[in-house]
Amino acid sequence: MNSHHLYLISLSPDILSLSGVSVNVGTILLLFSLLVLLFSMLFSVSERMRNKRMLQQKGQIISDVFTKVTHELRAPLTVILGLSKQLREQKDLSDGNLATYLNAIERQGRNLSKLVNQLLDIANLQTSDKTVEWKTGNIVAFVEMMSETFRIYARQKGVELYFFSDETEVEIDFVPDYLNKILYNLLSNAVKYSEEGTRINLVMERNKKDRQKIAIKVIDQGRGISKEALPHIFDLFYKYPHNNTETSGNGIGLTIVKQITEGLGGTIRVESEVGKGTVFTVELPFRRNEKQLYTHWIPEKNTPRPVPQAPLLPEANKSVPPDPGGNDPRTTILLVEDNKDIFLYVRSIFHEKQYNILYAPNVEKAWDMVNKQLPDIVITDVIMPQKSGIELCREMKASPLLNHIPIVIVSAKNEEADLIEGLRSGADCYIRKPFYPEALQVRVENLLKTRLLLKEKYCRTVLKEEKEELNDNTNTDFLRRVTDIIYREMKNPDFTAGKLAAELAISVSQLNKKLNIITGYPSSTYILQVKLRHAKKIFASQNKTIGEVSTECGIYDVNYFSRIFKKHTGVTPTQFKRLPQI
């Protein structure tokens, strides 16, 4: 018999047999159907999840856009509504202030108008292509016309604008309104970010690899854009963090430029180096559709939009007062806000005779000023170039020198999460824009009254050594540290405010302001108060002579000691010793 096994396969309508193993055909079909159904269900669930994620992403994008649009609207509305109210209510307004307020309202009205127009441009880009008016014409003539109108605007800033083209006539298909917006935005930005004495080149040339494409380059010698920011400059509402208020836009213009360029079938790219300048290159195809003809563009009837007006900026000497020197009896408020019109509005709320308003356009400047000036209160926005107001709050509350200063956040970010983040960062109050002037004024006054009450409590708790609970541990700890140093050096006649400040690693001016805010005394007076308090304790508990007590307090001139003792207590040391001690 052959050693190989013999496999017998027999088929029947119901049974498939292989080497004695039988499988029901109906079972196989059932399993196959179940597998198909399972894969179908998995695919369906996967598709639903993918669609759900896409809808969620789309919803999040729309939500983010509306949030950012709302934020952009709140700042101008705050200025317009606030200053309008001030104009109605301030009867003794001078002609100078009247003109300043009206200019600020006009500036913010222009900003609102520009924002609305840009948002409409974005909306129109999503509409049907039938509303777009394509033309065929000489693009060199069109671009040259734009350069001529912008040359006037550039010269107002001391910047020269030059136009170069290898050819005098290049016929392409384009949308005049679209090309207008592209050049308007790019040239406006180039002029805006260029310094006096520099130049801008507007260059047109054919693509060397594809002769059926035209390149338009806007080359400036401005500040340049960092490598970190370059990938984001076309993002909606993106603002370059190193721009100041006067030159920063709302983050919409370049988004429009990119969408319009792509709508023309072209591309846009940017090259930049900080400190050297920026090059924007727009490339457009000659023909949109070889089979379709468009009406001819005639320059006389399609004049590009007029050159932008030079922005109305707040006058520096009126809007931003110089830092005061010496002691100012008024309450000092430091406003940290990148929008000078908001500063103008806040300044109008607080009476000049009672309040000294200092201004910082960014957190870096604010940090320098708050350390030098030690204001009584700080009012700050959240969203600003480079660092945010939240970071300023955290840094101030972490500083032993500054943690006593109350902080009010005034911001267009109005979600509950924003409010909680602000309060957690150390802010004493969070006000949403737009706000009523009375709301800010009352909160500032209440915070200042609270600090005044704390002064009295600090003195009772530390100077008079009363057992009293204080919630503000940071200031109590600082005051106890100062008092401990004074007690340690009690017998040292050469111990001065300068030596105390040096041990605390701060300046005498900073120490004076910090102690004055907490206790109501400058450093030298506070040292004397501690010494006199120590003298009274000795008189009450020990039988020592006036000279001995004076020496214990580091004062070796007994007559001087007696004079200052009477000046501060109302009685002489001898009279004090005779008083009944409790």
Side-chain angles (χ1 to χ4, degrees):
M1 186 177 178
N2 196 320
S3 62
H4 294 288
H5 295 287
L6 179 63
Y7 291 93
L8 297 176
I9 300 176
S10 64
L11 294 173
S12 71
D14 298 318
I15 302 295
L16 173 65
S17 177
L18 177 61
S19 289
V21 180
S22 301
V23 180
N24 190 295
V25 173
T27 303
I28 292 175
L29 291 174
L30 179 61
L31 288 172
F32 181 74
S33 300
L34 287 173
L35 285 172
V36 171
L37 180 62
L38 179 61
F39 279 118
S40 176
M41 288 175 64
L42 287 172
F43 179 76
S44 176
V45 170
S46 175
E47 278 295 298
R48 275 189 228 151
M49 290 178 67
R50 190 169 68 87
N51 291 336
K52 185 179 180 181
R53 282 196 299 270
M54 289 175 64
L55 286 173
Q56 287 175 339
Q57 290 173 355
K58 185 177 180 181
Q60 185 61 48
I61 291 171
I62 293 173
S63 174
D64 290 344
V65 168
F66 275 109
T67 300
K68 289 172 180 175
V69 168
T70 303
H71 180 270
E72 291 296 328
L73 290 171
R74 287 182 185 276
L77 284 175
T78 298
V79 174
I80 292 170
L81 295 175
L83 287 181
S84 297
K85 189 173 188 296
Q86 298 295 84
L87 286 173
R88 286 197 307 272
E89 295 179 356
Q90 291 186 2
K91 306 299 181 185
D92 57 345
L93 201 63
S94 67
D95 291 341
N97 283 337
L98 175 63
T100 302
Y101 289 3
L102 290 175
N103 283 339
I105 291 171
E106 182 182 351
R107 274 193 300 274
Q108 297 305 320
R110 284 188 190 178
N111 290 342
L112 272 180
S113 177
K114 180 182 177 182
L115 176 62
V116 170
N117 289 335
Q118 288 178 322
L119 292 173
L120 286 174
D121 285 341
I122 291 177
N124 290 336
L125 289 172
Q126 312 301 322
T127 60
S128 171
D129 188 58
K130 293 178 182 178
T131 60
V132 178
E133 188 178 1
W134 282 85
K135 299 283 185 180
T136 299
N138 182 7
I139 192 172
V140 177
F142 188 98
V143 174
E144 188 173 13
M145 286 174 60
M146 287 291 288
S147 72
E148 288 173 358
T149 53
F150 265 88
R151 190 171 290 120
I152 302 168
Y153 176 52
R155 281 177 178 166
Q156 290 176 357
K157 284 196 64 181
V159 178
E160 289 297 328
L161 173 61
Y162 298 95
F163 173 72
F164 302 96
S165 176
D166 293 337
E167 304 174 56
T168 58
E169 187 170 349
V170 179
E171 292 276 333
I172 76 165
D173 299 336
F174 66 99
V175 179
D177 185 53
Y178 279 10
L179 188 56
N180 205 341
K181 288 183 171 72
I182 292 170
L183 293 170
Y184 184 89
N185 277 284
L186 294 181
L187 290 173
S188 293
N189 286 343
V191 174
K192 192 189 302 182
Y193 299 122
S194 292
E195 300 295 334
E196 185 177 354
T198 60
R199 61 184 290 169
I200 297 168
N201 293 328
L202 179 57
V203 180
M204 293 190 68
E205 58 188 12
R206 287 186 187 242
N207 188 306
K208 294 177 181 178
K209 294 182 180 179
D210 186 349
R211 302 295 290 175
Q212 291 302 302
K213 287 184 179 179
I214 189 78
I216 304 171
K217 295 183 178 182
V218 178
I219 307 167
D220 68 55
Q221 298 172 335
R223 304 170 192 170
I225 305 167
S226 68
K227 291 181 180 179
E228 295 77 19
L230 275 176
H232 306 289
I233 61 168
F234 294 112
D235 295 347
L236 187 60
F237 294 111
Y238 178 75
K239 295 183 181 181
Y240 186 44
H242 298 289
N243 289 341
N244 56 39
T245 307
E246 287 82 1
T247 57
S248 65
N250 51 33
I252 299 178
L254 287 177
T255 303
I256 294 174
V257 168
K258 188 173 188 295
Q259 291 190 11
I260 287 177
T261 302
E262 291 172 350
L264 292 173
T267 59
I268 182 170
R269 65 180 183 272
V270 59
E271 303 165 76
S272 187
E273 187 174 346
V274 175
K276 292 190 176 181
T278 304
V279 180
F280 280 93
T281 303
V282 175
E283 281 196 345
L284 300 174
F286 276 30
R287 295 288 171 260
R288 177 173 182 257
N289 189 335
E290 295 291 346
K291 297 180 181 179
Q292 191 169 354
L293 298 176
Y294 301 105
T295 55
H296 199 73
W297 173 74
I298 303 173
E300 291 76 15
K301 293 183 180 180
N302 295 275
T303 304
R305 70 173 68 183
V307 69
Q309 294 178 334
L312 288 169
L313 298 178
E315 295 178 48
N317 60 337
K318 292 185 179 181
S319 296
V320 188
D323 294 343
N327 295 321
D328 193 325
R330 297 174 297 171
T331 298
T332 299
I333 299 175
L334 173 62
L335 176 64
V336 190
E337 169 65 64
D338 62 341
N339 188 321
K340 285 185 180 177
D341 285 335
I342 295 288
F343 161 73
L344 182 65
Y345 169 45
V346 171
R347 193 185 66 173
S348 74
I349 296 172
F350 297 96
H351 202 284
E352 190 177 358
K353 291 182 179 179
Q354 185 179 355
Y355 294 96
N356 173 35
I357 312 293
L358 304 179
Y359 172 68
N362 54 56
V363 170
E364 287 75 12
K365 178 68 173 174
W367 182 253
D368 182 58
M369 292 179 69
V370 80
N371 276 279
K372 291 179 180 177
Q373 303 286 343
L374 262 74
D376 297 294
I377 193 167
V378 171
I379 302 172
T380 180
D381 192 6
V382 172
I383 300 176
M384 281 178 290
Q386 300 174 9
K387 284 187 175 182
S388 71
I390 297 293
E391 291 175 274
L392 176 64
C393 288
R394 290 181 181 138
E395 289 175 2
M396 285 182 61
K397 293 306 175 181
S399 168
L401 178 66
L402 307 173
N403 53 26
H404 66 279
I405 301 174
I407 303 172
V408 177
I409 287 179
V410 179
S411 175
K413 298 185 73 176
N414 66 341
E415 298 291 332
E416 286 301 313
D418 301 321
L419 183 147
I420 292 169
E421 183 187 21
L423 296 177
R424 280 180 176 166
S425 70
D428 297 84
C429 179
Y430 193 106
I431 299 176
R432 299 175 174 98
K433 295 176 184 177
F435 57 89
Y436 290 105
E438 294 85 359
L440 178 60
Q441 190 174 26
V442 168
R443 281 172 172 81
V444 167
E445 288 173 354
N446 287 342
L447 284 170
L448 292 172
K449 286 176 184 176
T450 302
R451 293 291 157 176
L452 191 59
L453 292 173
L454 282 174
K455 276 186 185 182
E456 299 171 3
K457 288 191 175 184
Y458 288 136
C459 288
R460 289 200 302 268
T461 304
V462 181
L463 188 60
K464 298 184 179 180
E465 299 180 350
E466 291 183 5
K467 302 289 185 182
E468 188 169 350
E469 290 288 330
L470 278 178
N471 294 327
D472 200 345
N473 293 326
T474 53
N475 289 334
T476 309
D477 290 344
F478 176 82
L479 203 52
R480 287 192 190 281
R481 185 183 172 199
V482 169
T483 308
D484 288 344
I485 294 171
I486 296 171
Y487 267 99
R488 191 189 71 207
E489 301 289 335
M490 184 66 70
K491 295 182 180 180
N492 182 1
D494 299 321
F495 183 70
T496 62
K499 291 184 177 180
L500 176 60
E503 186 143 351
L504 294 168
I506 57 178
S507 69
V508 175
S509 174
Q510 290 173 328
L511 176 62
N512 282 334
K513 288 177 182 176
K514 174 90 174 178
L515 281 176
N516 200 35
I517 290 169
I518 296 176
T519 67
Y521 300 122
S523 53
S524 57
T525 306
Y526 185 74
I527 292 172
L528 185 59
Q529 289 289 338
V530 174
K531 286 178 178 287
L532 293 176
R533 176 63 185 172
H534 183 59
K536 287 191 285 186
K537 285 175 63 178
I538 296 174
F539 282 135
S541 61
Q542 302 177 39
N543 187 22
K544 288 190 175 185
T545 65
I546 297 172
E548 289 173 329
V549 174
S550 173
T551 302
E552 285 283 329
C553 296
I555 302 172
Y556 289 90
D557 186 336
V558 178
N559 291 329
Y560 172 70
F561 173 77
S562 298
R563 285 199 307 272
I564 60 171
F565 191 94
K566 182 178 181 180
K567 179 181 178 182
H568 288 273
T569 63
V571 294
T572 65
T574 303
Q575 291 170 331
F576 184 84
K577 289 178 68 176
R578 294 172 183 167
L579 293 175
Q581 303 299 325
I582 300 175

